[in-house]
Amino acid sequence: MSIPRTADGIAAALLFARGRAEGLLLLPPTEATALHSFRAALICLPAFLGLRLLAWSHQGAPRGGLVLGLLAELVGFVLSWSGFALASRVMAEQAQRLGRWAHFLAAWNWSNLVQYLLLVVLAVPMLLGAPSWLNNALGLVALGYALWLEWFVTREALGVAGATAVMFVLLDVAIGLFIGGLSARIAGGG
């Protein structure tokens, strides 16, 4: 099997976003596909940086300075993507799904595109001066959707029960909270 084109990864992500598991058919179940899927991180990076800069424009720059803040956030970004990949491999092995892990990782990575797109779209009302209650409500809806999307991709790609898929989602949340807090602390913002 060949490595999918980036367009295939994006198409798979758009199918996952609508709850359609056939997006997996666009991603060959190989380690090469999993490795290629980290291109999704490169596609998400400008959105990530833009969202961080937007947050700092509203909350104030990190106390450690913009350069240290950006460096800490970049390191955190890389650690989040790679940390989850490594930790999820251990969990897949424990769930007796190691043979499906590469396929899962590819699906997981590409599905992050949808989550970043949603975050960027939700930044628009804030930029337009929407009331904070509306921004908070939209944020909660986005969080719920993102958790569902991660759960759906995990359940379908690994072929596990819903409760097992929840454990993978919780792992991602825990890693994200830990690394995000650490990055903020290093940048002097927490």
Side-chain angles (χ1 to χ4, degrees):
M1 295 192 139
S2 64
I3 297 173
R5 299 170 303 136
T6 299
D8 294 332
I10 294 169
L14 294 174
L15 287 167
F16 299 147
R18 297 181 313 207
R20 296 182 55 196
E22 57 265 25
L24 289 167
L25 299 174
L26 298 173
L27 305 171
T30 65
E31 288 187 17
T33 300
L35 186 58
H36 177 268
S37 72
F38 282 94
R39 287 188 180 181
L42 295 175
I43 295 169
C44 292
L45 183 58
F48 172 79
L49 292 174
L51 290 167
R52 291 310 310 141
L53 291 171
L54 179 63
W56 291 339
S57 73
H58 282 80
Q59 302 165 352
R63 288 192 309 265
L66 189 60
V67 172
L68 181 60
L70 281 173
L71 182 59
E73 292 291 345
L74 282 171
V75 169
F77 180 82
V78 171
L79 288 176
S80 292
W81 284 75
S82 58
F84 178 77
L86 296 172
S88 69
R89 188 181 189 285
V90 173
M91 281 188 71
E93 185 174 17
Q94 291 173 347
Q96 299 178 341
R97 293 294 194 267
L98 190 55
R100 296 177 76 159
W101 174 77
H103 204 202
F104 156 74
L105 185 60
W108 182 278
N109 282 344
W110 286 114
S111 71
N112 275 288
L113 290 175
V114 174
Q115 294 178 50
Y116 273 95
L117 178 61
L118 183 60
L119 290 173
V120 168
V121 167
L122 290 179
V124 172
M126 184 177 74
L127 289 171
L128 296 176
S132 61
W133 66 266
L134 178 59
N135 291 323
N136 291 338
L138 291 172
L140 285 174
V141 170
L143 175 62
Y145 175 76
L147 293 173
W148 169 83
L149 180 59
E150 291 182 0
W151 173 84
F152 172 77
V153 167
T154 302
R155 188 179 55 117
E156 294 298 327
L158 286 177
V160 294
T164 302
V166 166
M167 299 309 292
F168 282 83
V169 173
L170 291 176
L171 174 67
D172 181 48
V173 170
I175 289 171
L177 288 173
F178 175 75
I179 292 175
L182 185 61
S183 296
R185 185 149 176 87
I186 290 170

